[in-house]
Amino acid sequence: MDQKILALNHPELLYGIHLTDIGIIRNLVYTKDLEDLSEGELQYKRNAQEWISNEGAYMSIQSTKPQTISYGLSDSPVGLAGWIIEKFRSWSDCNGDLRQRFSEDELLTNIMIYWITNTIGSSANMYYENVHSLPLMGRIEVPTGIALFPADVLLPPKKWAEQNLNIIRWTSMPRGGHFTAMEEPEVMADDIRAFFRPFRTKNITK
């Protein structure tokens, strides 16, 4: 379950959540009421509309007709590789050169996990389920840490994030893109440790 959904439904079970992205903020993207938006929120709206226009085709088909793409990708290893590798190239902090961030073994391992288990279909179907079954998000009161990597997809405006999440740690990383754990595992692990360390200390002293 997504950390944000878990925090909304069962906040009593969590000490905190640590996020590297918030997801597409739909109420900012599609709002027509611009007067109350900050400059950061307006810029996010412009960036999101451009990104959806240029990069959002995968999201459109996976959230409406996931089975259509699933059969083709499950039948062709070359098609599956092309579908996945394009995202690594577009969304990572690699400046168009995948070898700056990933080894061929890492990329092939990622593709083979989908191929051998035949799970590209269920991964695509998740987008359909999210659109058709997830409730509207409310404010999250669970203590939240956010680590933002500069080349990630659609960095959220801080004002909106602070209004909708109980943020107690906000970190702007020096490098890295969407695939945070693969691109910058050490700095990501350090930020997760730093965020949860106070909760561990409180628990030990009780």
Side-chain angles (χ1 to χ4, degrees), residues 128-146:
Y128 182 91
E129 297 296 337
N130 286 348
V131 168
H132 291 84
S133 63
L134 288 183
L136 293 175
M137 298 284 286
R139 176 174 166 80
I140 291 175
E141 298 295 345
V142 172
T144 302
I146 294 183

Side-chain angles (χ1 to χ4, degrees), residues 108-164:
L108 287 171
T109 297
N110 187 280
I111 295 166
M112 289 301 293
I113 288 172
Y114 287 99
W115 181 254
I116 292 174
T117 59
N118 194 27
T119 50
I120 192 64
S122 57
S123 71
N125 194 66
M126 178 184 70
Y127 285 77
Y128 182 91
E129 297 296 337
N130 286 348
V131 168
H132 291 84
S133 63
L134 288 183
L136 293 175
M137 298 284 286
R139 176 174 166 80
I140 291 175
E141 298 295 345
V142 172
T144 302
I146 294 183
L148 297 181
F149 291 76
D152 199 355
V153 174
L154 295 178
L155 302 180
K158 190 171 185 179
K159 178 182 177 182
W160 186 95
E162 290 175 336
Q163 290 173 341
N164 289 274

Side-chain angles (χ1 to χ4, degrees), residues 193-203:
R193 291 190 186 103
F195 171 71
F196 282 105
R197 189 171 293 118
F199 299 103
R200 182 178 61 186
T201 304
K202 290 178 183 178
N203 193 45

Side-chain angles (χ1 to χ4, degrees), residues 16-33:
I17 59 174
H18 184 278
L19 308 174
T20 57
D21 73 75
I22 294 175
I24 295 177
I25 307 171
R26 297 184 181 276
N27 62 338
L28 284 183
V29 174
Y30 298 112
T31 183
K32 298 185 184 299
D33 184 9

Side-chain angles (χ1 to χ4, degrees), residues 2-43:
D2 184 279
Q3 289 186 71
K4 299 188 295 298
I5 301 300
L6 188 60
L8 283 169
N9 291 340
H10 302 287
E12 73 283 358
L13 300 179
L14 303 174
Y15 285 111
I17 59 174
H18 184 278
L19 308 174
T20 57
D21 73 75
I22 294 175
I24 295 177
I25 307 171
R26 297 184 181 276
N27 62 338
L28 284 183
V29 174
Y30 298 112
T31 183
K32 298 185 184 299
D33 184 9
L34 306 182
E35 293 184 359
D36 294 332
L37 299 184
S38 67
E39 181 54 39
E41 290 169 330
L42 286 170
Q43 186 60 53

Side-chain angles (χ1 to χ4, degrees), residues 171-188:
T171 310
S172 295
M173 294 299 189
R175 60 192 179 276
H178 184 67
F179 303 99
T180 52
M182 289 181 69
E183 293 183 62
E184 296 292 342
E186 291 185 7
V187 295
M188 181 178 175

